[in-house]
């Protein structure tokens, strides 16, 4: 390496020379490099002193490389391009190592995060970034590699693949269920606090729609707690504040752990479903295909009728 340094002129001077030769102008080279024209001239003069021969002919209002200058310019440009391409490839590989997944707060907290460790263990070289946000996201923007959303399956800014559908039923804590006893008819639910959450999403099913499916009118003035997010509604149910609607895909772990229980065997299957949203205009990373395969394998463990 030391011998190589002695054989090469200063890199700053070579950079200035390559720019002057490519642009055929000291002025334009100075503008591209963000230095003064005098600074570029000094670097070229330094090279010519080092080599012992001129690199450019200074003509009236223009310059042109000498024969030695043309040879050095060709080699320098090729070398710089090779370095730039290598750096770009390395940067691409680094980007490939990170996989950004967007999911809603509820899906991320109740479904994705409890399971994603198995994917990480299978692919330890991938860096995962979970972007939790309930708002609509444009996957073509480059912010994320894949988004998971509940809806109709129509997203104008992305390619869509079905992940799974869902079913909804009333849930509460085991202690609260024991306190109120067994329920035999959906209409009996209206006697108790019904926990709800605010949403502007037209695809979301609330108590009014769920009860209407069984020809039951929702209370005009429900007595249950009203939360801002679905995650809060579930935590309210966990803490015995009443009965919430359980989206099976989101609460299946809590049901398996007996932290929540079903209040009735009545359920409705959602009209909409969970979808994977992928970029249309950006190349898909290889790691995205690995993630999709894993997501669909996880989804297949629970089939909703």
């Amino acid at each position: 390496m030391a011998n190589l340094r002695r054989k090469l002129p200063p890199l700053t001077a070579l950079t200035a020379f390559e720019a002057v030769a490519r642009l055929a102008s000291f002025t334009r080279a100075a503008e591209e490099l963000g230095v003064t024209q005098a600074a570029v001239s000094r670097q070229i003069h330094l090279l010519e002193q080092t080599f012992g021969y001129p690199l450019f002919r200074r003509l009236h209002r223009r310059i042109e490389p000498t024969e030695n200058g043309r040879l050095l310019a060709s080699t320098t440009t090729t070398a710089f391009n090779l370095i730039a391409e290598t750096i770009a490839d390395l940067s691409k590989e680094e980007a490939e190592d990170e996989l950004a997944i967007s999911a809603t707060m509820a899906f991320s907290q109740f479904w994705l995060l409890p399971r994603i460790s198995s994917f990480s263990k299978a692919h330890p070289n991938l860096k995962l970034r979970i972007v939790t946000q309930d708002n609509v996201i444009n996957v073509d923007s480059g912010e994320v590699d894949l988004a998971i959303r509940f809806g109709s399956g129509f997203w104008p800014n992305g390619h869509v693949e079905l992940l799974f559908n869902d079913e909804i039923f009333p849930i509460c804590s085991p202690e609260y269920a024991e306190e109120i006893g067994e329920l035999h008819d959906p209409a009996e639910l209206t006697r108790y606090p019904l926990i709800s959450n605010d949403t502007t999403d037209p695809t979301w099913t609330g108590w009014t729609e769920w009860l209407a499916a069984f020809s039951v009118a929702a209370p005009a003035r429900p007595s249950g707690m009203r939360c801002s997010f679905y995650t809060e509604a579930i935590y309210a149910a966990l803490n015995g504040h009443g009965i919430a609607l359980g989206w099976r895909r989101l609460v299946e772990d809590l049901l398996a752990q007996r932290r929540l229980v079903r209040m009735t065997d009545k359920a409705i299957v959602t009209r909409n479903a969970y979808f994977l949203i992928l970029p249309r205009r950006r190349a898909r990373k290889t790691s995205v295909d690995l993630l999709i395969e894993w997501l669909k394998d996880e989804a297949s463990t629970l089939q909703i009728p």
Side-chain angles (χ1 to χ4, degrees):
M1 182 62 72
N3 289 335
L4 182 62
R5 286 199 193 99
R6 283 197 291 268
K7 291 178 181 178
L8 291 175
L11 182 59
T12 302
L14 278 179
T15 302
F17 167 77
E18 189 278 334
V20 172
R22 174 166 44 82
L23 299 170
S25 168
F26 281 80
T27 301
R28 284 188 288 170
E31 291 173 353
E32 179 179 285
L33 297 173
V35 297
T36 64
Q37 182 177 339
V40 171
S41 296
R42 283 196 298 272
Q43 294 298 328
I44 301 303
H45 182 64
L46 174 63
L47 279 181
E48 291 177 328
Q49 280 189 321
T50 301
F51 294 143
Y53 49 76
L55 296 172
F56 294 100
R57 296 186 184 91
R58 279 73 167 173
L59 306 174
H60 180 62
R61 292 188 177 179
R62 66 186 179 91
I63 61 170
E64 65 178 28
T66 63
E67 187 64 31
N68 287 337
R70 279 195 293 270
L71 180 60
L72 181 61
S74 175
T75 303
T76 305
T77 299
T78 300
F80 281 0
N81 284 337
L82 181 59
I83 292 171
E85 289 170 5
T86 301
I87 291 172
D89 288 342
L90 291 174
S91 299
K92 182 179 179 181
E93 289 175 9
E94 178 66 22
E96 283 282 351
D97 285 343
E98 182 177 87
L99 190 55
I101 311 163
S102 170
T104 62
M105 185 184 301
F107 192 90
S108 177
Q109 186 163 339
F110 293 133
W111 195 93
L112 184 61
L113 290 176
R115 292 168 172 76
I116 198 68
S117 61
S118 67
F119 179 80
S120 296
K121 289 175 183 176
H123 306 285
N125 294 328
L126 285 177
K127 303 171 186 174
L128 293 177
R129 181 164 63 92
I130 308 298
V131 181
T132 301
Q133 52 188 164
D134 287 345
N135 57 302
V136 176
I137 186 169
N138 181 357
V139 291
D140 275 328
S141 68
E143 182 183 353
V144 299
D145 300 299
L146 178 146
I148 305 170
R149 288 293 187 275
F150 183 84
S152 64
F154 175 72
W155 271 271
N157 296 319
H159 169 73
V160 173
E161 293 186 22
L162 175 67
L163 181 58
F164 46 56
N165 58 0
D166 210 343
E167 64 175 352
I168 309 170
F169 42 75
I171 54 171
C172 67
S173 68
E175 296 79 12
Y176 193 79
E178 185 176 353
E179 179 183 330
I180 66 176
E182 187 176 355
L183 299 182
H184 301 282
D185 189 284
E188 297 178 68
L189 291 164
T190 60
R191 303 174 189 169
Y192 304 99
L194 302 180
I195 303 168
S196 62
N197 63 283
D198 296 330
T199 180
T200 57
D201 185 353
T203 66
W204 190 259
T205 300
W207 276 113
T208 299
E209 184 178 357
W210 193 92
L211 289 168
F214 300 97
S215 302
V216 178
R221 294 184 177 180
S223 60
M225 183 181 294
R226 185 175 173 181
C227 304
S228 296
F229 302 101
Y230 183 69
T231 49
E232 295 172 346
I234 293 302
Y235 282 116
L238 284 167
N239 288 282
H241 290 288
I243 305 170
L245 282 175
W247 293 60
R248 185 171 179 180
R249 291 291 187 176
L250 302 183
V251 301
E252 58 185 295
D253 287 347
L254 297 171
L255 292 171
Q257 297 161 11
R258 294 289 298 172
R259 297 177 63 193
L260 289 173
V261 295
R262 290 183 64 158
M263 293 299 298
T264 172
D265 60 356
K266 303 294 185 183
I268 65 171
V269 177
T270 57
R271 295 190 305 271
N272 299 296
Y274 293 92
F275 291 91
L276 307 177
I277 310 171
L278 303 156
R280 286 186 185 275
R281 298 181 181 87
R282 290 191 295 119
R284 184 189 299 186
K285 295 178 182 177
T286 303
S287 55
V288 172
D289 291 321
L290 296 175
L291 178 64
I292 291 173
E293 181 181 359
W294 175 82
L295 285 167
K296 291 186 175 180
D297 284 345
E298 288 291 321
S300 67
T301 62
L302 178 63
Q303 296 298 326
I304 305 298

